[in-house]
C-alpha cells in the first residue's frame, strides 16, 4: 500500500491529513492524486464513499498559492448538500496552508456570499446555478481559475445543469487543469469530457461493490404493523453509534420520526418537505455526531456522506437493488465496517432475492441475540459548533407547489420538469425543488415570489411534444 507521502503531497497537506485522521489513501486517491499533482486532466469514475473528495481535494489544496488573492480553483457540485460537504472537507485539508474556501449555493442570501468572495477566497465550491448567478453579477471572476473540478457530473446532467456547466467552463482559462468525477458515464458526460478535458487519464473504482463488502447485511421479516416495535428492538439490541433509518415516503419518514421522538430517542428527520435551512441544520448536526439517529427518505439523503454511520436500517424496502446498494453504501466507509438491517414483509421475499442477486451477498436473518461485533453506544462529546452560513442567514424562501400534467407514462423525467420551468423563465435550476414524477403527474416546488411569473411563462411550452399544463397546488 502506497502512503500519502509517496503520492507526492506537500508537507502541510500531509500534516492536515494526520489531523483529519486519514492514514492511508483509498484506491481512488492512490490512482488519481499522482496524475493530478503532475498537472494532468483526470476523469474519475467513483461514487460517494470512495474518498473521491480527497482524491481531487488534496491536489487542489496543494495547487493553490495562498499568497495570491484570486480565485484559483473552482469545484462545481449539483446540490447544496454536496457543496457543503465538499467545502467542509476542503477547509479541513487546507487549514494548515491557510487556504480560504468559500461555499456558494442557492437558497441562501447571495449578499453574504458576495461579501465572502470580496473578502478573498482562493477556492470556490459552488452549485451550478449560484455560480452562474454570481458570475453574471461580476462577484465571481474566473480568469485566474486554473483548477476546475466537476463533481458528480452525472447528477448535474440529471438535474439539467449541463449547459450551464459548459458556460461556466468557457469562462475559465483554456490552460486550466480539469478533473471530472462521475459515478456513471452516460454519453452526454463523455461528450462533455471530450470537449473540456485535455488528454485525460481515466481512473476508476467500483465503490458500490467495495463498500458493500465491508457491510454485514441482515434481513428481518416483519409484518407492516409490527415494524415500529421491531425497529425499537433492533435499536436497543444493536445500540448503533450512528444510524440512518430509511423510509419510502416523506409522510412515513415524518411519522416514524415522531414515534421515535415520543419514545424518548435523540432522533432527527430529513425529508423534502422540510425547508432547506432545516435540512442543512439536520445534516450538519448528524455529520458532527450530535444526532445518533436520522430518519430519512432516499431523495433527501442522496449523496450524503456520513463516514461515522455504523448502521443503516431499511425500515421500508428500497424500490430497487440499486437504491439498496446506494443506501447501505453510507456505512462501512473507507476502512470502517458497518451493519445494514433490511425489514421486509412476507410478500417482499422476491425483492430480497433481487437485492441478493444484485449485490452478490445473502442477507443473514437478524436476531437480537446475534449481535456479536456491534459497537456499543458511546455518549458523544457535546460540541459547540458554529452555525453554518445557511442557518445563520436563515433567509429561506417560501415555496409554492406546482402540479404538472404529464408523468412517467408520458416519458417525463425530473430533469424535463426542471428544464420546462427554467428555460422560458428567469428561474434558476436550483430554485426548483422537490421534483417528484408520478405516473401521470409531476410536482415541483418553486419560490413563492416566482410563482406567478413561472405560471405565465412556462404554460404552453413544450414538454415531451405536448404543451405544458401546470397549476399551483393550493396550500
Ligand atoms: P467521499 O467519497 O469523498 O465522500 O469520502 C467518504 C468518506 O471517507 C469521508 O467521510 C472522508 O472523510 C473519508 N475518507 C476519505 N479518504 C479517506 C482515507 N484515506 N482514510 C480514511 N477516511 C477517508
Amino acid at each position: 500500500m502506497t502512503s500519502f507521502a509517496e503520492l507526492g503531497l506537500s508537507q502541510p497537506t500531509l500534516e492536515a491529513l494526520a489531523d483529519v485522521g486519514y492514514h492511508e489513501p483509498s484506491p481512488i486517491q492512490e490512482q488519481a492524486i499522482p496524475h493530478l499533482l503532475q498537472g494532468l486532466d483526470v476523469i474519475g469514475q467513483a461514487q460517494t464513499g470512495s474518498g473521491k473528495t480527497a482524491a481531487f481535494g488534496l491536489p487542489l489544496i496543494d495547487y493553490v498559492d495562498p499568497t495570491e488573492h484570486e480565485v484559483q480553483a473552482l469545484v462545481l457540485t449539483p446540490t447544496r448538500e454536496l457543496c457543503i460537504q465538499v467545502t467542509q472537507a476542503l477547509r479541513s485539508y487546507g487549514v494548515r496552508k491557510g487556504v480560504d474556501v468559500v461555499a456558494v449555493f442557492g437558497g441562501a442570501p447571495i449578499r453574504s456570499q458576495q461579501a465572502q468572495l470580496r473578502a478573498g477566497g482562493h477556492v470556490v465550491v459552488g452549485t451550478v446555478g449560484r455560480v452562474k448567478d454570481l458570475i453574471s453579477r461580476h462577484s465571481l471572476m474566473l480568469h485566474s481559475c486554473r483548477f476546475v473540478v466537476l463533481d458528480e457530473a452525472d447528477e448535474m446532467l440529471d438535474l439539467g445543469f449541463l449547459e450551464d456547466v459548459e458556460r461556466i467552463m468557457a469562462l475559465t482559462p483554456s490552460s486550466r487543469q480539469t478533473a471530472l468525477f462521475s459515478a456513471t458515464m452516460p454519453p452526454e458526460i463523455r461528450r462533455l469530457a471530450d470537449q473540456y478535458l485535455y488528454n485525460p487519464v481515466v481512473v476508476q473504482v467500483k465503490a458500490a461493490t467495495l463498500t458493500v463488502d465491508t457491510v454485514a447485511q441482515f434481513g428481518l421479516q416483519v409484518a407492516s404493523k409490527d415494524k415500529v416495535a421491531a425497529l425499537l428492538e433492533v435499536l436497543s439490541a444493536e445500540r448503533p453509534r450512528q444510524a440512518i433509518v430509511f423510509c419510502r415516503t416523506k409522510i412515513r419518514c415524518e411519522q416514524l420520526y415522531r414515534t421515535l421522538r415520543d419514545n424518548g430517542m435523540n432522533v432527527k428527520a430529513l425529508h423534502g418537505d422540510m425547508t432547506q435551512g432545516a435540512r442543512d441544520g439536520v445534516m450538519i448536526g448528524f455529520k458532527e455526531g450530535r444526532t445518533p439517529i436520522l430518519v430519512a427518505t432516499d431523495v433527501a439523503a442522496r449523496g450524503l456522506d456520513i463516514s461515522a454511520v455504523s448502521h443503516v436500517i431499511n425500515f421500508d424496502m428500497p424500490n430497487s437493488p440499486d437504491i439498496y446498494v446506494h443506501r447501505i453504501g453510507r456505512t462501512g466507509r473507507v476502512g470502517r465496517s458497518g451493519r445494514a438491517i433490511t425489514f421486509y414483509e412476507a410478500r417482499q421475499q422476491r425483492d430480497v432475492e433481487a437485492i441478493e442477486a444484485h449485490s452478490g451477498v445473502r442477507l443473514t436473518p437478524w436476531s437480537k441475540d446475534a449481535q456479536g461485533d456491534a459497537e456499543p453506544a458511546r455518549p458523544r462529546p457535546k460540541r459547540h459548533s458554529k452555525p453554518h452560513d445557511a442557518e445563520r442567514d436563515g433567509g429561506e424562501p417560501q415555496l409554492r407547489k406546482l402540479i404538472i400534467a404529464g408523468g412517467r407514462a408520458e416519458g417525463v423525467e425530473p430533469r424535463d420538469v426542471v428544464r420546462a420551468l427554467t428555460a422560458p423563465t428567469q428561474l434558476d435550476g436550483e430554485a426548483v425543488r422537490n421534483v417528484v414524477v408520478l405516473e401521470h403527474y409531476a410536482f415541483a416546488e418553486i419560490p413563492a415570489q416566482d410563482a406567478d411569473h413561472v405560471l405565465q411563462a412556462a404554460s404552453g411550452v413544450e414538454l415531451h411534444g405536448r404543451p405544458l399544463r401546470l397549476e399551483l397546488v393550493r396550500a
Side-chain angles (χ1 to χ4, degrees):
M1 172 67 77
T2 325
S3 69
F4 278 115
E6 284 165 318
L7 297 181
L9 292 164
S10 68
Q11 198 54 34
T13 309
L14 292 172
E15 285 167 14
L17 281 176
D19 295 342
V20 292
Y22 299 177
H23 301 296
E24 48 194 41
S26 74
I28 191 78
Q29 293 162 4
E30 199 172 348
Q31 293 181 59
I33 290 174
H35 296 305
L36 287 170
L37 288 176
Q38 277 172 31
L40 300 176
D41 283 2
V42 166
I43 296 178
Q45 192 169 351
Q47 299 178 336
T48 306
S50 58
K52 67 180 167 69
T53 314
F56 64 74
L58 298 171
L60 180 153
I61 293 297
D62 258 17
Y63 168 81
V64 168
D65 176 356
T67 61
E68 248 188 59
H69 294 287
E70 275 177 310
V71 176
Q72 299 162 54
L74 171 72
V75 182
L76 284 177
T77 69
T79 62
R80 49 189 277 154
E81 279 83 1
L82 186 64
C83 172
I84 292 168
Q85 260 171 223
V86 170
T87 305
Q88 287 175 332
L90 296 189
R91 283 186 182 149
S92 67
Y93 308 148
V95 66
R96 292 246 181 187
K97 202 173 160 185
V99 175
D100 190 17
V101 185
V102 175
V104 301
F105 49 82
I110 199 161
R111 294 175 90 177
S112 75
Q113 295 173 359
Q114 286 174 307
Q116 288 179 53
L117 289 172
R118 267 197 305 278
H122 306 109
V123 181
V124 169
V125 183
T127 54
V128 178
R130 183 52 63 98
V131 165
K132 205 180 83 176
D133 203 354
L134 286 161
I135 291 172
S136 68
R137 292 169 193 236
H138 305 290
S139 300
L140 174 59
M141 313 283 184
L142 296 179
H143 55 268
S144 297
C145 181
R146 292 206 159 73
F147 198 114
V148 177
V149 181
L150 306 180
D151 196 9
E152 301 198 352
D154 49 356
E155 288 278 324
M156 296 191 201
L157 167 72
D158 277 350
L159 293 168
F161 293 150
L162 228 47
E163 278 175 30
D164 287 339
V165 170
E166 295 190 37
R167 281 195 204 114
I168 295 167
M169 296 287 281
L171 296 174
T172 59
S174 54
S175 59
R176 68 171 181 267
Q177 181 180 6
T178 313
L180 179 151
F181 281 76
S182 198
T184 59
M185 282 291 160
E188 293 93 330
I189 297 299
R190 283 186 199 285
R191 187 194 57 74
L192 183 80
D194 283 347
Q195 201 168 341
Y196 292 92
L197 274 66
Y198 176 74
N199 244 346
V201 182
V202 179
V203 296
Q204 239 176 341
V205 292
K206 288 204 180 111
T209 9
L210 284 179
T211 305
V212 171
D213 288 348
T214 62
V215 180
Q217 297 171 59
F218 301 87
L220 178 59
Q221 189 181 323
V222 53
S224 174
K225 64 175 174 37
D226 299 329
K227 274 187 175 179
V228 171
L231 178 62
L232 294 173
E233 187 180 347
V234 165
L235 288 173
S236 102
E238 292 276 338
R239 315 211 309 151
R241 190 178 55 227
Q242 242 188 341
I244 303 187
V245 181
F246 280 101
C247 291
R248 207 176 44 239
T249 64
K250 298 177 211 173
I251 295 173
R252 287 178 63 78
C253 178
E254 184 67 26
Q255 280 169 344
L256 182 61
Y257 152 70
R258 287 171 192 227
T259 308
L260 295 181
R261 185 195 60 190
D262 296 345
N263 270 278
M265 296 198 172
N266 183 358
V267 57
K268 286 272 159 41
L270 189 70
H271 59 72
D273 275 350
M274 298 160 58
T275 63
Q276 276 290 354
R279 279 163 67 171
D280 291 345
V282 167
M283 198 183 81
I284 291 163
F286 191 67
K287 198 165 156 72
E288 289 182 346
R290 285 181 275 135
T291 308
I293 302 169
L294 182 71
V295 184
T297 58
D298 288 298
V299 178
R302 188 163 67 178
L304 199 73
D305 154 55
I306 296 128
S307 45
V309 170
S310 57
H311 287 69
V312 167
I313 300 171
N314 293 317
F315 185 78
D316 290 327
M317 282 283 284
N319 282 337
S320 74
D322 264 346
I323 296 180
Y324 175 81
V325 171
H326 203 242
R327 283 185 184 178
I328 76 165
R330 291 197 171 74
T331 183
R333 286 295 160 85
V334 194
R336 298 184 176 93
S337 60
R339 292 164 74 87
I341 299 149
T342 300
F343 289 10
Y344 63 96
E345 297 168 40
R347 64 185 172 85
Q348 292 171 320
Q349 183 63 40
R350 297 189 75 156
D351 300 334
V352 172
E353 286 161 17
I355 285 173
E356 291 180 334
H358 183 79
S359 64
V361 176
R362 284 197 82 77
L363 302 192
T364 311
W366 186 86
S367 82
K368 76 164 183 279
D369 308 314
Q371 298 332 303
D373 50 349
E375 289 230 23
R378 264 181 273 127
R380 298 188 65 95
K382 270 212 157 81
R383 295 225 216 146
H384 296 283
S385 61
K386 275 196 225 136
H388 193 269
D389 284 348
E391 281 178 282
R392 196 165 51 219
D393 296 333
E396 196 49 43
Q398 287 279 321
L399 296 176
R400 290 298 308 268
K401 197 170 197 166
L402 296 169
I403 181 166
I404 294 149
R408 276 197 301 271
E410 287 76 33
V412 172
E413 291 184 34
R415 63 175 130 154
D416 301 323
V417 174
V418 176
R419 207 170 291 143
L421 296 178
T422 51
T425 64
Q426 303 292 319
L427 206 61
D428 210 84
E430 278 156 43
V432 183
R433 309 262 181 86
N434 303 323
V435 178
V436 177
V437 178
L438 304 176
E439 202 54 19
H440 293 292
Y441 290 97
F443 293 97
E445 290 176 3
I446 56 170
Q449 77 216 33
D450 298 314
D452 287 340
H453 162 66
V454 170
L455 267 182
Q456 269 192 359
S459 287
V461 301
E462 201 181 286
L463 179 67
H464 274 268
R466 300 188 317 169
L468 179 67
R469 286 195 294 125
L470 73 172
E471 275 175 35
L472 279 177
V473 176
R474 272 178 226 287

